[in-house]
Structure formats: structure tokens, C-alpha cells
Amino acid sequence: MKKHLINFTALSMVFLLFSCATKNTEPTELPEGTITEKLNFIKNPKNFNSESERLNLLFEAYTDYQIEASPMMATFSGKPGYDHLWDDFSEEGLEKDLSVLKIFDESKDWFQPDELTEEDKINLNIFSRSIGNDYSLFSQFPVQYFMIDQIQGIHSIIPAVIQMMPTNSPEAIDNLTSRLEGISALLTDVEKVLSKGIDKGIVMPKNTVLLVPDQLKQMYSKNPEESVFYMPFANLKEDTNIEGQQTIHEIVSHIIGTSINPALKRFTTFMEEEYLPNTRESYGLKALPNGEAWYQEYIKYFTTTDMTAKEIHDLGLSEVARIRLEMEKIILQLNFDGDLNDFNDFLREDPQFYYNTPEELLAAYRDICKRIDPVLPQLFGKLPRLTYGVKRVPAYSEKATTTAYYQSGSLKTGIPGYFFANTYNLKSRPKWEMEALSIHEAVPGHHLQIAIAQELENVPEFRTMLSFTAFVEGWGLYSESLGPALGMYKDPYAKYGQLTYEMWRAIRLVVDTGIHVFDWSRQDAIDYFKTNSGKSENDITVEIDRYIAWPGQALAYKIGELKIKELRKRSETTLKDRFDIRAFHDVVLGSGSIPLDVLEDNIDHWINEQMAIENNTVNK
């Protein structure tokens, strides 16, 4: 699942409410006014009968703030009311948002812990960690200048938002057309921010944005009906939402032809003539002012730990060595004549491991997912209601996009989750990686975890919208290890594929820190990856460029996975025969996305509960 831009847009701008604050005699309701005025009301304990009441109003205000500040995030989360708006990416909007985030960060010290329930304390802890992570990063470092890249930059998020919006009512159609009309202004704001980054010398490495102009060019079309922005309207009836004498198709075609296409062309020209010539040749964050401290903050942000770059680098080297031994065992099992590098070359080059058409590849992914679905109840007591599907990565982004990703849906808006598989360059999409990849991106990986989190009940609403990368991606990688229990990896090549994916995440610990702290070149990272992995050279190059573009994000996978495995082993060792894998997984997923230390507390609490039940049974 890709978190880089969503993490950024969660920090987008605050839209002001309309009226001024008035003293509200009903403390259980937020007063009218700006978000700042609401927070000032909450800050005063005299306005409330209890700390719990005040805390719940803070959470309500924060939920409202998230949705108002990021209409794009609201759409992804299925929150109605803002589908006609875009996030405010202007410099002024960013500054306003940061000032509000500062108050939210300070709010963790407003409450008397002794007057809160245990549940309140847990919610406050999670809230404080989420806000604190955001404020610590965004207040110290100019992350906004990194919003453009060829992997999943703002330009590719725009059509993704449009394509996941509902079209099932006149209001939904109006929202869509309003958003289409707003794309031009949105791109203008993005251009201004990136231009300021150029002035400050804080720009992306050249290799991470080289493909952006070509991606933009694929988004506009001389025939509006062939545009990616026309797709949501293609199947609507001609008389839908008639305005005057125009059908909705005519209205949308006009917007695309007279507003969106010119805006995309202007932005393309900016990227080609202004941004690209001013990009940097260096790769690591260390090359920028205060870069090492910036990278350390990214480590904390993405892993929810205080590990250092050196500790992570060394952990990666250790994991690479361990997994390499496991891979060599399979090579011996297959009686292959050659070493690990020879075997990896064989896997990359032999045509038996590749499909010939995109349709065959997508059909195989769908088959894998539908073979997994019936087995899930054996490992999970609670499953989500939201369904999911398998789609092809859009053509405009496939060349620079990794092998696959997950895009969340929404039960409220009737949008399913989607596992997007990349069909570009089929000779880089081997069959032996498909089972592990399906498990990670669909079930029981991202779809299961994210959909369950969205459907949480009896928790503050903000808890259903959180996304701690170490938890989300750690769960995805841990899920890959469940393959045998799901009936997968019966073929030794598929098992080797799972080890290749685990190796891939271990390599990340080495090369990400190597690039951003230890002065590795791009070629150093590619060579290390190629030596230790069976992945194709195309995949490896795309991955390395991703690590360069998103410092620290790739560290979260292995750190999170190792923590979940550690907690499972602790549970199995302590509970022995009483260990229930379904109950364990339900506890892991049952609180939504949380920091790793909170997850550890939850598991320890569950273990203690199970031990208490056993002791009571023995004593009776």
C-alpha cells in the first residue's frame, strides 16, 4: 500500500469555518468558529464537566480538522462533504496548517491523566503519537518541497482521487465536475511551492523526476473522451445531470479540453524547463542542509522507534545474511547446478517464469486471491465487510511504478479496495513472486488490515483514519509469512519468491541508510540489491529510485514485521497450548493502525489476560 503522499496531504491546509466563536453553554458540543477557536474552547477545562468529555471533544475536533484540511484524504477515507474540494497546497495554506498542528501537538499536555479512564489514556497516547510525529517532522523540515516524484507524486494522486469518487447521485456528479474545474488552480499552487524549493536549493534528485513530464503528457489527450479524467463519466447515461442544453459528457469534455489539458501542459513545461534543470545530482538526504538530522526524523516518523541509522543498517546486514542461507537451502533442494547468483539469473531469464499478456497476468493474480479468500477464517476471527478487486496499474504511471500496490476503498461510499498489479514489461513480472505479492497487497495483507481499521467501532473516529507506516507495512510483510497456512508456496519456486520478497525488505534497511547517511551511490545500491536478490533489473532500478525519492519510508516494512514476529513468538512461548492464532491476529489488527510500542502493550495485555484465565481455571 503507498503512504508517502497521503502522509503529506494529511498535513494539508485548513479551511476556515464561517462564524465567530460564541460561548457555548453545552460543553458536549463544539462551538461554531475556526478550528483555532474550537481548540481554545477545548483548552479551558471550565467548559466541561469531566476530562473524558473534554478529551472526546478534542478527538472530534481533530477528526473534523483532518477532513477539512485534506479533502483528498477525506475521499480516500470515505468521508463525505468535501468531495468537491482539493487540498490547499499553497505556501500560505501550509503555514496555516502548521500553526493548527502546533496547537494540537500542545494539547497532549492539557489533560490530567488521573482523571482519565484507561481507554481515554490509550486513545490520548495514540493521538499524541500521531500528532507528535507529524509536527516534529513538518515543523523542522521543508517536506513540502518533496511532493513531486515519478513514483507517486502529487500529479499521479490527482487522477487517482478522481477515479475513486462515487458517481451514484447528482450531487456526486457535481462534486466530480467541481474537482475537475479545480485541477488547474491546484497545479498552479504546486508549481509555486516547487519554485520556492528551487529558490532555496531544496529539490528532488534528478533521477526521481526524469519521467514526470512523460507521465503528465500521458494524462492529456486531444480527444477528451480518451482522457484519464473522463473515465468516471464514460458509463453514465447521456441525460445524467443535464445543465441547460448540455449533457454531463459535454460538460466534462469541455472542462478537460479548456481547463485540464492546458493546465497539464503548463505544468509539463514547468517541469521540463524550470524544475528538471535545477534538480540535484546527489542522491542522499545527507547532501541537503541538516540532512542527517532530517533523515533521523524520518526514521522516527516511519518506524515509530528511536533506532539510529547505524542500528538499522547493521540489522539489515544481519537479515540479508540469514535470508540468504534460507534461499541457498531451496537451491540445493532443486538440485540446481550453480550458486545463488546463477540461480537468480536463471529466474530472471527463463521464459517459463513469465506470462505473455497482461490479461494472463491479471487473471493469475485474481485466481491466487480467490484461492486465499476461503482460507482466511482459519487465521482470523474477524474479517472486514468491504470487498476488493484486482486492477491494472494505469498506463500513465506504470513505467515508474513498483510491481504492485493497494488502494483503499470505503464501505460508506461503496468503493471497493483495489490491488493494482503492474503489467508494464512483462518480462520483469515473474510468476514466482505472485503469491507473496498477492498476500501482501490484498489478503490477508493491506486490504484486510486497512478495511478492518476503517470499520472499527466504539473508538474515536480519528483512530479509523490513522496510518502508521511501520504497522501497516509491517503487517503486509508479516502476512507473507502466513503463505503456508493459506495453502500457498507449495511450489519451491514460489517459496523462493517469498524469500526474495523478504530479502527485498531486508536489503532496504541496508541501501536506504547507505544512500542517505553512508554516502552510497545509486549504482552501489543497485549492485548490492542485484547481488542479493532475484528481482529483475527493472524492478531493482525502480526500487532504488523510490528509496532515493522517499527517504526512510522503506525502513518501516522490516522493522514492523520483525516486531510482529517477535510478539507472536513471545505469545506462543508464554501461552503454549493456549495460544490461538486467530485471537492473536484479531488483537494485532483490532486497534487499527498504531505505533509499534502500543502494539506491544496490547499483546502483553492480551497475554496477561489469557494467563489469568488459565490460572483461574486451574484454581477452581
Side-chain angles (χ1 to χ4, degrees):
M1 186 176 176
K2 306 288 182 48
K3 305 305 175 304
H4 176 71
L5 187 51
I6 297 304
N7 285 334
F8 176 75
T9 55
L11 186 68
S12 55
M13 310 313 63
V14 174
F15 285 81
L16 297 179
L17 299 177
F18 294 105
S19 59
C20 296
T22 56
K23 175 106 174 144
N24 196 325
T25 58
E26 294 292 336
T28 57
E29 296 182 3
L30 285 171
E32 295 296 322
T34 68
I35 186 65
T36 303
E37 290 165 338
K38 290 181 178 182
L39 289 173
N40 285 336
F41 177 83
I42 295 170
K43 186 176 182 179
N44 186 354
K46 294 181 180 178
N47 293 323
F48 301 91
N49 296 319
S50 70
E51 287 290 80
S52 289
E53 181 184 69
R54 186 159 71 111
L55 185 65
N56 287 330
L57 262 286
L58 175 68
F59 297 153
E60 181 181 328
Y62 179 57
T63 301
D64 292 345
Y65 153 78
Q66 284 186 297
I67 296 171
E68 294 164 11
S70 181
M72 292 163 66
M73 183 183 183
T75 296
F76 276 107
S77 302
K79 309 297 181 183
Y82 296 88
D83 283 345
H84 60 299
L85 299 171
W86 290 106
D87 296 28
D88 182 356
F89 283 104
S90 69
E91 195 73 25
E92 298 77 16
L94 287 163
E95 291 173 357
K96 288 179 184 177
D97 189 62
L98 190 59
S99 68
V100 173
L101 195 62
K102 182 176 187 292
I103 301 173
F104 273 116
D105 185 56
E106 294 168 348
S107 70
K108 63 180 179 291
D109 299 320
W110 294 352
F111 298 89
Q112 298 297 323
D114 292 345
E115 298 181 29
L116 295 174
T117 66
E118 289 304 311
E119 185 177 344
D120 287 338
K121 291 175 184 177
I122 292 171
N123 289 329
L124 180 57
N125 181 23
I126 295 171
F127 168 83
S128 300
R129 290 290 298 280
S130 178
I131 289 292
N133 284 354
D134 285 348
Y135 185 69
S136 181
L137 177 62
F138 292 110
S139 64
Q140 295 182 77
F141 304 103
V143 178
Q144 67 269 27
Y145 301 134
F146 282 5
M147 74 169 81
I148 193 76
D149 65 70
Q150 63 200 29
I151 297 96
Q152 196 189 27
I154 176 62
H155 65 296
S156 63
I157 293 296
I158 293 170
V161 171
I162 292 295
Q163 290 179 48
M164 76 170 298
M165 290 176 64
T167 58
N168 55 358
S169 71
E171 181 184 5
I173 299 301
D174 287 342
N175 288 336
L176 263 168
T177 56
S178 294
R179 272 213 169 132
L180 292 181
E181 290 170 338
I183 287 174
S184 179
L186 173 62
L187 289 175
T188 297
D189 285 340
V190 171
E191 181 179 325
K192 289 178 180 178
V193 172
L194 295 177
S195 295
K196 190 166 184 179
I198 293 173
D199 293 340
K200 292 177 175 290
I202 303 174
V203 292
M204 296 295 290
K206 181 174 290 185
N207 68 296
T208 67
V209 290
L210 278 172
L211 297 178
V212 170
D214 286 340
Q215 292 173 340
L216 288 164
K217 290 173 184 176
Q218 291 186 58
M219 290 184 195
Y220 52 81
S221 171
K222 290 182 180 179
N223 180 358
E225 293 186 5
E226 295 177 358
S227 168
V228 66
F229 297 100
Y230 188 85
M231 289 174 62
F233 303 90
N235 296 321
L236 294 180
K237 295 180 180 179
E238 278 294 328
D239 61 350
T240 303
N241 197 24
I242 293 177
E243 186 175 295
Q245 298 302 311
Q246 288 185 307
T247 67
I248 186 62
H249 297 272
E250 292 169 334
I251 294 169
V252 171
S253 294
H254 180 74
I255 295 171
I256 292 172
T258 62
S259 178
I260 296 176
N261 281 350
L264 289 169
K265 290 176 181 178
R266 286 194 302 271
F267 192 66
T268 302
T269 299
F270 164 75
M271 289 299 301
E272 289 180 327
E273 298 181 5
E274 296 185 48
Y275 196 81
L276 274 169
N278 287 288
T279 49
R280 57 190 171 96
E281 297 295 335
S282 60
Y283 302 112
L285 200 58
K286 182 181 178 181
L288 294 178
N290 208 21
E292 286 195 60
W294 192 346
Y295 186 68
Q296 187 59 47
E297 190 64 37
Y298 268 134
I299 290 176
K300 181 180 179 182
Y301 182 85
F302 286 118
T303 72
T304 67
T305 74
D306 293 320
M307 295 181 72
T308 66
K310 181 65 165 59
E311 289 172 335
I312 290 175
H313 190 83
D314 290 344
L315 175 62
L317 293 172
S318 173
E319 281 292 284
V320 166
R322 178 187 64 80
I323 299 166
R324 189 181 178 102
L325 290 175
E326 294 298 313
M327 297 171 88
E328 288 171 346
K329 290 178 184 177
I330 292 182
I331 294 173
L332 287 173
Q333 176 188 341
L334 289 167
N335 297 316
F336 180 80
D337 184 15
D339 61 14
L340 182 67
N341 290 332
D342 295 328
F343 188 69
N344 287 337
D345 288 339
F346 164 65
L347 292 180
R348 293 187 190 103
E349 297 167 4
D350 196 299
Q352 69 173 301
F353 298 120
Y354 299 93
Y355 287 106
N356 294 317
T357 69
E359 291 72 23
E360 288 177 326
L361 183 71
L362 290 173
Y365 273 124
R366 292 180 179 122
D367 176 68
I368 291 168
C369 289
K370 294 313 170 186
R371 282 191 283 124
I372 293 173
D373 285 345
V375 190
L376 293 174
Q378 297 178 22
L379 296 178
F380 300 89
K382 181 176 177 60
L383 296 171
R385 290 173 289 165
L386 186 69
T387 60
Y388 71 98
V390 180
K391 273 189 177 183
R392 180 176 180 171
V393 170
Y396 61 80
S397 63
E398 62 183 4
K399 188 175 181 180
T401 298
T402 52
T403 311
Y405 60 86
Y406 173 75
Q407 181 174 291
S408 60
S410 169
L411 194 63
K412 290 182 179 179
T413 60
I415 303 295
Y418 279 107
F419 164 26
F420 281 86
N422 199 332
T423 59
Y424 171 76
N425 188 9
L426 287 172
K427 295 307 178 186
S428 66
R429 315 295 174 197
K431 297 176 183 178
W432 45 260
E433 71 179 4
M434 295 175 66
E435 291 183 0
L437 190 58
S438 300
I439 290 171
H440 182 108
E441 300 296 346
V443 288
H446 288 327
H447 174 71
L448 199 66
Q449 182 267 310
I450 293 172
I452 286 175
Q454 289 176 335
E455 296 172 20
L456 286 178
E457 298 176 350
N458 302 318
V459 298
E461 191 174 5
F462 82 90
R463 291 272 304 275
T464 70
M465 301 165 66
L466 291 177
S467 183
F468 290 97
T469 311
F471 181 89
V472 173
E473 298 297 354
W475 172 260
L477 182 50
Y478 165 80
S479 294
E480 293 176 24
S481 70
L482 300 177
L486 295 166
M488 300 290 109
Y489 311 152
K490 292 179 180 178
D491 176 9
Y493 291 111
K495 175 59 181 175
Y496 191 87
Q498 182 256 318
L499 290 173
T500 295
Y501 267 65
E502 188 178 5
M503 175 67 88
W504 173 18
R505 280 44 171 261
I507 289 171
R508 287 176 170 178
L509 303 184
V510 180
V511 300
D512 197 289
T513 51
I515 290 166
H516 293 292
V517 175
F518 300 119
D519 301 315
W520 283 31
S521 69
R522 180 172 180 264
Q523 193 59 49
D524 290 336
I526 290 172
D527 290 343
Y528 182 84
F529 205 135
K530 193 171 182 179
T531 298
N532 292 285
S533 170
K535 290 190 71 64
S536 71
E537 189 158 357
N538 178 78
D539 270 0
I540 289 171
T541 302
V542 170
E543 281 297 310
I544 296 303
D545 287 344
R546 169 185 168 178
Y547 310 153
I548 293 169
W550 303 350
Q553 190 269 353
L555 306 177
Y557 297 68
K558 212 43 169 102
I559 301 298
E561 177 231 14
L562 290 175
K563 174 55 70 173
I564 296 172
K565 284 186 172 179
E566 172 196 324
L567 295 175
R568 176 170 169 174
K569 184 175 181 181
R570 182 188 305 175
S571 302
E572 291 172 331
T573 301
T574 305
L575 297 177
K576 298 182 175 61
D577 292 342
R578 292 186 60 84
F579 176 77
D580 181 346
I581 189 61
R582 298 169 79 243
F584 173 78
H585 287 154
D586 287 350
V587 173
V588 172
L589 299 181
S591 295
S593 180
I594 51 180
L596 296 183
D597 59 326
V598 176
L599 173 63
E600 184 164 11
D601 288 344
N602 287 352
I603 294 298
D604 285 341
H605 179 71
W606 173 71
I607 291 173
N608 290 335
E609 281 186 334
Q610 301 308 302
M611 293 299 292
I613 292 172
E614 181 178 9
N615 291 336
N616 288 338
T617 301
V618 170
N619 292 333
K620 283 182 178 179

